Amino acid sequence: MAPAARVARALWPGGCALAWRLSGRPQLLLPTQNRAGFAGSAGGPGPVAAALKGSPRLLGAAALALGGALGLYHTARWHLRAQDLHAEHSAAQLSLSSHLQLTLYQYKTCPFCSKVRAFLDFHALPYQVVEVNPVRRAEIKFSSYRKVPILVAQVGENSQQLNDSSVIISALKTYLVSGQPLEEIITYYPAMKAVNDQGKEVTEFGNKYWLMLDEKEAQQVYSGKEARTEEMKWRQWADDWLVHLISPNVYRTPTEALASFDYIVREGKFGAVEGAVAKYMGAAAMYLISKRLKSRHHLQDNVREDLYEAANKWVTAVGKDRPFMGGQRPNLADLAVYGVLRVMEGLDAFDDLMQHTRIQPWYLRVERAITEASPAH
């Protein structure tokens, strides 16, 4: 069992204090149909039933027609109500987001940072970006947590630091849906020390794929328990598997490694000399490191095949009957997978991925949804 899995397994018994927020199972409540046309107020035959008595065929046809009409009526009614609820929910989110001042500390080419940007843009949350120098990291000297992304959220007079991409996303989504104080929400995702496969101490976060919502709030986000479980499963898949396919693919050959570091230096925060050194020495180092990553994660000789298989596995999970895993709108799993893959844009690995898998239509739909939702910032 991987260290992250062992940590999660060990955490759940201690996380039972939060179980009340997670135990509600959303249920679809169907409207009660009015049967006044078929029965009198005391349960006797009503006027329609009396007129049709003795004519079974006519009675059956009338019942079928009326049942169909009722079904159409209630379908339309619930569709309009769902639109109203979505509008109310969006308005509430907009009101809460207007109180947030967000600053994202990032490396632009980091897949975890890209995940957070995809979430913020899709939810129309304005934010400032601070590009961190990956060598000196002076921009995050205020933080004892030395990885990116780091998000600093200012709510009124209170400032909260959120660490880890999945925690940032879960905490902010919980805040937007529930309106709970952000400083309280952060306590639901405790940091813990663990030791990874290489014997290195790392920081893991509990509950990071959960949205801390009560039953009513969960119904605003999910169509049912299965949808919630599915989203969590694939968010974790993006972190535990998909993200580890990026480096072996973008540094697959010396030429690809050089092209990747040219992009990293161009988009990152480097001085002139620092950038030149990083481009050539970094490319050489990462080409060699990518071979070790390939062995560590038991990838195929042609690592493109692992990337293709992962993309097609994702597309199969989304299915043909819905544009996104979230249904008509991207959910957190859609945004996570999109964010991870987006960092390869402009590189050979991305072009090959679009050409040799079935993922491009889904990818373009998510891209369009984010573009339409995101504010200028």
Side-chain angles (χ1 to χ4, degrees):
M1 184 182 296
R6 288 197 295 268
V7 170
R9 181 70 59 84
L11 173 68
W12 282 112
C16 290
L18 303 179
W20 66 274
R21 301 199 63 80
L22 310 174
S23 60
R25 178 179 299 182
Q27 297 181 6
L28 179 61
L29 301 179
L30 298 177
T32 302
Q33 294 187 355
N34 186 349
R35 299 172 59 85
F38 285 91
S41 58
V48 176
L52 295 176
K53 187 176 181 180
S55 180
R57 182 175 297 178
L58 186 58
L59 177 61
L64 183 62
L66 185 55
L70 284 169
L72 289 172
Y73 164 73
H74 287 300
T75 298
R77 177 186 172 193
W78 277 95
H79 178 69
L80 292 172
R81 179 56 181 155
Q83 290 181 325
D84 290 342
L85 286 172
H86 177 66
E88 293 169 8
H89 181 48
S90 298
Q93 286 194 358
L94 183 61
S95 175
L96 285 170
S97 65
S98 66
H99 295 88
L100 281 175
Q101 294 181 347
L102 304 175
T103 303
L104 176 65
Y105 295 82
Q106 67 157 21
Y107 307 145
K108 185 175 180 180
T109 56
C110 162
F112 296 107
C113 299
S114 180
K115 277 171 47 186
V116 174
R117 292 198 309 272
F119 170 84
L120 295 174
D121 290 340
F122 179 71
H123 289 84
L125 296 172
Y127 58 98
Q128 294 182 326
V129 170
V130 176
E131 193 69 21
V132 176
N133 181 292
V135 178
R136 295 188 298 271
R137 294 186 289 180
E139 295 80 5
I140 56 173
K141 64 182 180 181
F142 64 87
S143 173
S144 59
Y145 183 81
R146 303 299 290 168
K147 295 182 179 180
V148 294
I150 293 172
L151 187 77
V152 175
Q154 186 82 25
V155 185
E157 298 298 321
N158 297 322
S159 179
Q160 300 292 330
Q161 178 178 328
L162 288 77
N163 305 322
D164 185 272
S165 61
S166 292
V167 171
I168 292 170
I169 290 168
S170 293
L172 283 182
K173 185 68 174 181
T174 297
Y175 172 78
L176 292 174
V177 175
S178 72
Q180 300 173 68
L182 197 54
E183 59 267 27
E184 177 184 338
I185 293 172
I186 294 173
T187 65
Y188 300 152
Y189 305 100
M192 301 182 307
K193 297 297 183 180
V195 178
N196 65 15
D197 289 335
Q198 289 73 50
K200 181 180 178 181
E201 186 177 76
V202 295
T203 301
E204 293 288 348
F205 294 86
N207 307 321
K208 65 182 180 179
Y209 301 109
W210 273 105
L211 302 188
M212 299 301 176
L213 307 174
D214 62 26
E215 183 176 350
K216 183 177 180 181
E217 293 160 354
Q219 288 177 354
Q220 298 176 25
V221 180
Y222 302 109
S223 60
K225 180 181 178 182
E226 293 78 11
R228 188 177 199 175
T229 303
E230 181 183 51
E231 180 186 79
M232 291 173 59
K233 169 187 172 181
W234 288 98
R235 287 180 67 192
Q236 184 169 0
W237 175 82
D239 284 356
D240 290 351
W241 178 245
L242 184 63
V243 76
H244 295 297
L245 301 179
I246 303 301
S247 290
N249 274 278
V250 300
Y251 304 124
R252 183 180 62 153
T253 66
T255 301
E256 287 182 280
L258 190 61
S260 297
F261 258 86
D262 181 65
Y263 170 66
I264 289 171
V265 170
R266 189 171 64 250
E267 296 293 335
K269 187 176 182 179
F270 292 89
V273 175
E274 196 175 53
V277 172
K279 177 178 177 179
Y280 292 100
M281 294 188 65
M286 286 308 301
Y287 169 70
L288 296 175
I289 290 173
S290 70
K291 304 306 176 186
R292 286 163 46 192
L293 293 174
K294 172 183 169 182
S295 174
R296 179 187 303 171
H297 297 293
H298 308 290
L299 304 183
Q300 300 178 54
D301 289 338
N302 181 1
V303 293
R304 283 288 198 274
E305 294 301 324
D306 294 285
L307 184 63
Y308 298 161
E309 287 178 11
N312 286 329
K313 181 177 182 179
W314 166 255
V315 172
T316 299
V318 173
K320 298 180 180 179
D321 298 329
R322 52 184 180 176
F324 309 103
M325 181 165 281
Q328 296 305 307
R329 302 174 77 242
N331 67 7
L332 299 185
D334 288 294
L335 297 174
V337 173
Y338 172 84
V340 169
L341 296 178
R342 179 172 59 176
V343 298
M344 297 190 296
E345 284 190 11
L347 301 175
D348 288 349
F350 183 83
D351 295 339
D352 290 344
L353 178 68
M354 295 296 113
Q355 182 178 354
H356 296 291
T357 72
R358 297 178 283 119
I359 204 168
Q360 186 173 37
W362 168 87
Y363 187 90
L364 294 176
R365 286 195 295 268
V366 179
E367 183 176 62
R368 189 180 310 115
I370 293 175
T371 301
E372 292 173 352
S374 61
H377 62 268

